[in-house]
Amino acid sequence: MSRILHRSLRHTPPRAAGGEGIVLRDTHGRSYLDASGGAAVSSLGHAHPDVIAALHRQIDRCAYAHTAFFTTDVAEELAERLVANAPAGIGGVYLVSGGSEAVETALKLARQYFVEAGQPQRALFIARRQSYHGNTLGALAVGGNEWRRAPFAPLLADVARVSACYAYRGREHGQTLDGYTAMLLDELEAAILQAGPQRVIGFVAEPVVGATGGAIPPTPGYFRGVRALCDKYGILFIADEVMCGMGRTGTMYAIEQDGVAPDLVTIAKGLGAGYQPIGAVLVNGAIVECLRAGSGAFLHGHTYVGHPVAAAAALAVQQVIERDDLLAQVRKRGASLRRMLDEAFEDHPHVGDIRGRGLFLALELVRDRAGKEPFDPAVKLHAAIKDKAMQNGLLVYPMGGTIDGRRGDHVLLAPPFIASEAELAEIVGRLSESVDSALKSVAL
Ligand code: PLP
């Protein structure tokens, strides 16, 4: 038995030996098409020569310097680039080591901002059901992923909760999309009023819901409505783009497509594309200025914030995305993948919804399409699909509990931006086989 506490304590996964492009190999020589980039991480695929060269250069130059004493050229250059390409109003960057840290940092920054802005009574976050914001206690508290939260619930801060924007399930019979959006915004406003508008710090949401719901895009106008409510009540809008950001949806930030500028944006995963652990919080300039004029410091910090090697990976990834025009590539390949999925699954009796943006797409599985009835959670269809896919040399990111933390199954796809049309076709072919053999293996 391995000494590592793996994700399952009963099963040791195969050992990864290495990879190239969209392929990963294990130590038995089996290869896998990486159609999910792990968990929407490996946006440039594996062993990208430019990123690896940048890492070697940085390690030779300066592998580490503690941020209580120094900054580095590479971290400064990364921050300049991130701010230059960020949504309107962003004026600063706080560099951390991953997504959960980014969310924790954003929550603390938002709270300290109101303390320093003379509104210390603001102490509550509002967030959505069926969301995931990370596994540390603050991030888990704002997250709405019920099975991840349940054992730790007594340790978690109170968070007010509203519905996800999930039209496939949430829209009532005969309701227009605009009517559904208006209903959700009314619910958010009611939650703000119930909490007491002057008590709320911020509203936290994933612009395109990732792991918990499976690439659920917002309805048109939803985030414009959210922004308007936040402005009306002086509340911060925190966009968690850890999974959907950094080009994954075809624009650098998913929220750009909704025409809205958040006050804080969390990013990770695609920022370093797996070459190094790195995350960041992008911060509105007014928040930075408030702290600068007030206490002069953000009361926060970790040993590895601003790590120069991590910053070098992220900078190289950003440079490759720009040089190779990969956002345009994501839009083009995303449209192709969507077409291929539609062709393979739109008449499939057990695929209820195909959705997403760019190269961030998902299938939701149902027992019957007309009634949208999910499979019995006990059969763990999502786990069967993952196993069959791995047997077929395919890595996808299926999850259960899509509807309410318990019921529902989806399969998330987030292939590297560099995937070719032929590779996408191969992914869809293998996925189709894997879904069908998983369906056969569970009692229908
Ligand atoms: N926020 C979102 C939207 C995520 O999808 C994730 C991870 O899946 C996180 C936060 C947490 O990131 P990490 O796993 O890097 O801590």
Side-chain angles (χ1 to χ4, degrees):
M1 258 301 173
S2 164
R3 290 289 184 191
I4 296 176
L5 277 77
H6 289 290
R7 286 176 183 245
S8 164
L9 296 177
R10 297 188 186 141
H11 165 74
T12 302
R15 292 183 187 204
E20 204 166 52
I22 83 154
V23 175
L24 266 177
R25 280 185 321 281
D26 68 20
T27 47
H28 294 292
R30 274 190 290 267
S31 53
Y32 306 84
L33 284 179
D34 189 358
S36 60
V41 177
S42 301
S43 50
L44 298 187
H46 302 278
H48 196 290
D50 298 295
V51 185
I52 288 173
L55 285 172
H56 284 301
R57 282 195 302 275
Q58 186 60 42
I59 290 169
D60 288 341
R61 193 171 162 204
C62 173
Y64 178 67
H66 196 286
T67 50
F69 304 93
F70 295 103
T71 183
T72 54
D73 287 342
V74 68
E76 296 291 342
E77 196 181 335
L78 174 64
E80 287 291 343
R81 178 178 272 268
L82 289 174
V83 169
N85 296 328
I90 296 297
V93 179
Y94 195 93
L95 295 171
V96 292
S97 302
S100 302
E101 260 187 40
V103 171
E104 294 289 333
T105 302
L107 301 179
K108 284 183 69 183
L109 196 46
R111 166 67 189 164
Q112 192 181 330
Y113 164 67
F114 280 123
V115 171
E116 303 217 5
Q119 300 180 55
Q121 81 287 351
R122 288 194 187 265
L124 182 78
F125 289 98
I126 301 180
R128 303 191 300 180
R129 292 188 194 94
Q130 292 310 95
S131 56
Y132 180 56
H133 297 298
N135 261 330
T136 50
L137 293 177
L140 201 57
V142 286
N145 185 314
E146 288 312 322
W147 67 266
R148 291 188 202 252
R149 289 170 50 90
F152 307 103
L155 308 184
L156 304 178
D158 275 347
V159 168
R161 193 77 58 199
V162 295
S163 300
C165 183
Y166 182 12
Y168 175 64
R169 297 259 170 210
R171 180 146 63 126
E172 287 163 11
H173 188 67
Q175 193 175 33
T176 63
L177 213 49
D178 285 347
Y180 173 60
T181 306
M183 182 179 85
L184 293 174
L185 294 171
D186 286 348
E187 183 191 347
L188 176 58
E189 185 159 28
I192 294 170
L193 293 173
Q194 195 189 349
Q198 65 301 105
R199 284 194 54 233
V200 181
I201 298 176
F203 176 66
V204 186
E206 295 167 80
V208 179
V209 179
T212 302
I216 308 177
T219 55
Y222 172 79
F223 278 111
R224 274 199 302 280
V226 164
R227 180 72 269 182
L229 286 173
C230 288
D231 290 343
K232 181 171 171 188
Y233 295 109
I235 294 168
L236 299 178
F237 170 35
I238 303 172
D240 182 355
E241 296 231 358
V242 165
M243 202 177 233
C244 62
M246 306 323 285
R248 176 57 48 206
T249 65
T251 45
M252 188 54 86
Y253 297 93
I255 196 78
E256 281 175 46
Q257 295 176 46
D258 301 287
V260 162
D263 300 297
L264 296 153
V265 186
T266 52
I267 52 176
K269 298 189 190 277
L271 175 60
Y275 289 90
Q276 285 289 292
I278 183 165
V281 185
L282 309 177
V283 191
N284 181 280
I287 297 178
V288 182
E289 286 318 312
C290 174
L291 266 62
R292 207 192 308 276
S295 67
F298 175 30
L299 270 174
H300 195 59
H302 300 284
T303 301
Y304 291 126
V305 298
H307 197 287
V309 181
L315 182 60
V317 169
Q318 303 316 302
Q319 286 165 338
V320 169
I321 288 175
E322 185 180 311
R323 183 196 68 195
D324 297 349
D325 202 10
L326 290 182
L327 295 182
Q329 177 97 333
V330 171
R331 292 192 287 271
K332 189 167 154 211
R333 294 279 190 261
S336 302
L337 181 57
R338 176 68 203 233
R339 184 176 32 75
M340 292 176 200
L341 290 172
D342 285 344
E343 281 165 13
F345 294 105
E346 78 189 340
D347 296 325
H348 195 290
H350 297 297
V351 174
D353 195 24
I354 305 171
R355 58 183 176 238
R357 273 188 189 169
L359 280 175
F360 195 42
L361 296 168
L363 307 177
E364 184 168 332
L365 285 309
V366 287
R367 178 182 275 281
D368 84 289
R369 281 162 62 124
K372 302 184 184 176
E373 183 62 27
F375 283 91
D376 178 355
V379 304
K380 292 194 185 313
L381 176 61
H382 59 99
I385 294 174
K386 183 179 174 191
D387 289 347
K388 295 289 180 196
M390 277 188 89
Q391 285 163 22
N392 285 331
L394 179 71
L395 305 176
V396 290
Y397 201 63
M399 197 69 84
T402 314
I403 302 170
D404 54 11
R406 204 180 71 79
R407 294 174 312 133
D409 300 88
H410 66 264
V411 182
L412 184 65
L413 298 176
F417 303 171
I418 52 155
S420 67
E421 296 275 323
E423 286 168 331
L424 294 179
E426 185 62 32
I427 287 170
V428 175
R430 290 190 200 184
L431 177 62
S432 196
E433 270 176 54
S434 311
V435 167
D436 286 337
S437 57
L439 283 165
K440 276 198 204 107
S441 77
V442 303
L444 280 181

